[in-house]
Every structure is written in C-alpha cells, then in structure tokens.
C-alpha cells in the first residue's frame, strides 16, 4: 500500500499540469475563524491556556479522515483505502506543478524578460517572493530558495511522515504549516516561536534524508561533507532550509569553465536547471529507498 501510494502520487504530481486549486481550499482558514469566534464558550481553564485553540485547530480536523480510513479498511480489495491515501497525500502537495512553474520561469529568464518572470510566478505562487524586488539577482535567489523550501515542505517531508506514520501524520504536518502561514489562532510571538520549533522538529529528519538524497544524486563527496557539518544543527527556524541550500549547492557542483565567464543570466539558468534535475533525481532515490525498505522489512 505505502509503495503503491507513493509511486501513484509522485506520478500524478509530475504529470498533472492543470490547475489544482480546490473549491474547499479555504476551509482551514474558515475553521480557525470559527474557533476564534466561539472561543468564549470554552471552559475557563482551556481559555487560559494559549495552546488550546492551536491544538484544537490541528487535531479536530483529523477525526473525519480517520473515520473514513477506518470505514474503508479492507473494502474493495483495499482500493478504497488506496484512493483515500492518494487523495490525502495529493491534498498535502502544492496547488501547482512545480516543474511547470520552473519551466515558465526559465523561458522568461532566458529571454531577459524578468518582469514577466516575476509576474507569472507571483500569480501562480503568491507567497514565493517575500517582497517586491527590483534587483533580479535577488529575485532569482528567492526563487531558488522557494523551490527548495516547497520541495521539502510540500513533497519530501509529506512523503516522509506518510511513510513513517501514515496519511493522518502527513495531513497533520500539512495543517501545521497552514496554521503558521495564516497565523489566526496563535496569540502572541512567543507562541509563534514555539509552534515554529515544532515545525522544525517535524522537518529535522526529512531535511537530512533529503540532503543525503542530494548527495547520492549529485556530487556525493562535496554534499555529504556539508551534511556532516550541519548534521546536528539546532532546531532554530530556518536551519533545516540552510542545510538543504548548502547541500544542494554542493551537490550540483560547478558549471563548465566556459559558463563561469558567461553573463549572470546564463549562470542563473544553469543553477536553476541543475537544482530542478537534482530534485527529480532525489525523488528517484527516495522511491528506490522506500522499495528497498519494504522488501527488507
């Protein structure tokens, strides 16, 4: 079941080029707003604890899919359960095809049409750029950072928690990201830091396994050396992404000597193409690893 679900979801995610937005995508924000508006009905001891609403926001939505998975268990030769597993995983993936986003960005970048690259990319992924940028080198670096971050949080880490603990764990991890993004039920800055720490804990192992996959799919010596340097980094927010960035740069290696002397635009295209190919090869590494683990265990 696990291997078949992973393969199915990766294939769908790779070849599904159409719009993936769902009419119910805003349900979690509406759910958090509802909790806020009805918080006064909770007992005093629950209202006084700042973690009550975030915990309720995360755990209560687990009940309907848990019930559906329980009811579907063993029916129709397992096909019903397989369908639910695939639907939950796909729901946790991005609402756009990352490869298509990269390709469209590269087309504009090769033509030197940086404004079109910015507009088209921001339209598909509104949170990709932290602010309006006029320096296109900064814009390109933000795009590279986003590709790495979204690959970890909306693909590899989701797969990790599915493989280890099942579809509900993957969904819980996804909802934790959404809760931190919307910042509705978290009351103050200290609580935000606490929940970001939980997210860092949830990503600690997946980020290192992805970094290892980068090493296996690229320049092993250079990338593995970086992984060893940052292996035991602390759980401060952003440290996992820093590790992945360092390992990805090392795994992709250096461009050909002729390209090193080329203009920045050509070098930027090479870096993004190299990162894209590295992520694709890393998916293959993960599939092989999952198949090996299932055969052995």
């Amino acid at each position: 079941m696990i291997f078949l679900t992973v393969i199915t979801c990766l294939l769908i995610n790779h070849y599904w080029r159409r719009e993936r937005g769902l009419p119910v995508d805003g349900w979690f924000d509406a759910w958090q707003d509802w909790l806020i508006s009805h918080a006064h009905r909770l007992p005093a001891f629950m209202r006084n604890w700042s973690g009550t609403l975030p915990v309720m926001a995360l755990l209560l939505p687990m009940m309907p899919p848990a019930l559906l998975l329980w009811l579907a268990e063993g029916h129709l030769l397992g096909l019903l359960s397989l369908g639910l597993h695939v639907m939950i995983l796909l729901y946790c993936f991005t609402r756009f095809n990352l490869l298509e986003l990269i390709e469209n960005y590269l087309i504009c970048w090769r033509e030197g049409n940086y404004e079109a690259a910015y507009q088209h990319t921001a339209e598909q992924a509104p949170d990709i750029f932290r602010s309006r940028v006029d320096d296109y080198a900064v814009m390109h670096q933000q795009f590279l950072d986003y590709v790495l971050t979204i690959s970890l949080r909306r693909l590899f880490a989701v797969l990790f928690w599915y493989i280890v603990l099942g579809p509900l764990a993957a969904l819980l991890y996804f909802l934790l990201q959404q809760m931190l993004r919307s910042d509705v039920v978290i009351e103050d800055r200290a609580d935000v830091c606490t929940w970001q720490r939980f997210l860092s804990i949830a990503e600690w192992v997946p980020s290192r396994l992805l970094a290892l996959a980068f090493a296996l799919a690229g320049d092993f010596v250079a990338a593995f050396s970086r992984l060893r340097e940052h292996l035991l980094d602390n759980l401060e927010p952003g440290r996992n992404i820093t590790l992945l960035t360092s390992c990805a740069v090392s795994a992709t290696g250096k461009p050909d000597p002729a390209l090193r002397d080329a203009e920045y635009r050509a070098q930027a295209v090479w870096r993004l193409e190299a990162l894209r190919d590295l992520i694709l090869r890393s998916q293959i590494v993960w599939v092989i690893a999952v198949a090996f683990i299932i055969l052995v265990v």
Side-chain angles (χ1 to χ4, degrees), residues 1-13 76-87 89-90 93 159 162-163 286-287 290-291 294:
M1 172 77 77
I2 291 176
F3 183 74
L4 186 57
T5 302
V6 170
I7 286 291
T8 302
C9 289
L10 286 178
L11 288 175
I12 294 175
N13 187 59
L76 298 177
L77 301 176
L79 292 178
L80 196 55
S81 293
L82 175 63
L84 286 173
H85 284 223
V86 170
M87 289 173 61
L89 268 190
L90 289 177
F93 287 174
L159 291 176
Y162 171 75
I163 293 166
W286 272 48
V287 168
V290 171
I294 292 175

Side-chain angles (χ1 to χ4, degrees), residues 136-157:
Y136 297 118
V138 174
M139 181 187 81
H140 188 70
Q141 186 58 52
Q142 289 184 7
F143 187 89
L144 292 171
D145 294 341
Y146 182 82
V147 168
L148 268 177
T149 302
I150 208 71
S151 296
L152 171 67
R153 293 183 171 170
R154 300 296 290 273
L155 181 61
F156 289 100

Side-chain angles (χ1 to χ4, degrees), residues 84-263:
L84 286 173
H85 284 223
V86 170
M87 289 173 61
I88 291 173
L89 268 190
L90 289 177
Y91 175 73
C92 297
F93 287 174
T94 58
R95 293 297 177 267
F96 53 85
N97 187 296
L98 182 59
L99 294 180
E100 184 179 32
L101 183 72
I102 293 174
E103 287 303 322
N104 291 333
Y105 179 88
L106 283 173
I107 290 173
C108 297
W109 192 270
R110 291 190 188 101
E111 296 173 351
N113 195 346
Y114 307 118
E115 184 65 24
Y118 177 90
Q119 294 290 348
H120 179 79
T121 304
E123 182 179 327
Q124 282 196 275
D127 58 338
I128 192 168
F129 300 117
R130 293 182 284 274
S131 61
R132 176 73 187 187
V133 290
D134 296 321
D135 187 337
Y136 297 118
V138 174
M139 181 187 81
H140 188 70
Q141 186 58 52
Q142 289 184 7
F143 187 89
L144 292 171
D145 294 341
Y146 182 82
V147 168
L148 268 177
T149 302
I150 208 71
S151 296
L152 171 67
R153 293 183 171 170
R154 300 296 290 273
L155 181 61
F156 289 100
V158 169
L159 291 176
F160 171 83
W161 285 113
Y162 171 75
I163 293 166
V164 173
L165 293 177
L168 294 181
L171 181 59
L172 182 63
Y173 168 72
F174 169 73
L175 293 182
L176 175 58
Q177 295 181 58
Q178 297 300 101
M179 184 179 72
L180 286 169
R181 178 191 59 81
S182 60
D183 196 18
V184 174
V185 297
I186 304 177
E187 296 180 355
D188 54 44
R189 183 62 188 171
D191 291 332
V192 171
C193 293
T194 299
W195 288 103
Q196 285 178 341
R197 182 67 60 87
F198 279 121
L199 182 64
S200 296
I201 292 172
E203 293 172 351
W204 196 88
V205 175
S207 62
R208 279 144 183 82
L209 291 178
L210 180 54
L212 179 60
F214 284 170
L216 293 172
D219 186 333
F220 180 82
V221 174
F224 191 72
S225 176
R226 291 292 185 183
L227 175 58
R228 289 176 58 189
E229 291 176 10
H230 298 280
L231 182 62
L232 300 179
D233 275 358
N234 59 41
L235 295 172
E236 291 299 319
R239 298 294 292 179
N240 295 324
I241 303 301
T242 301
L243 164 69
L244 284 180
T245 301
S246 178
C247 290
V249 170
S250 299
T252 52
K254 297 179 180 179
D256 295 332
L259 192 58
R260 294 178 200 171
D261 299 328
E263 61 180 354

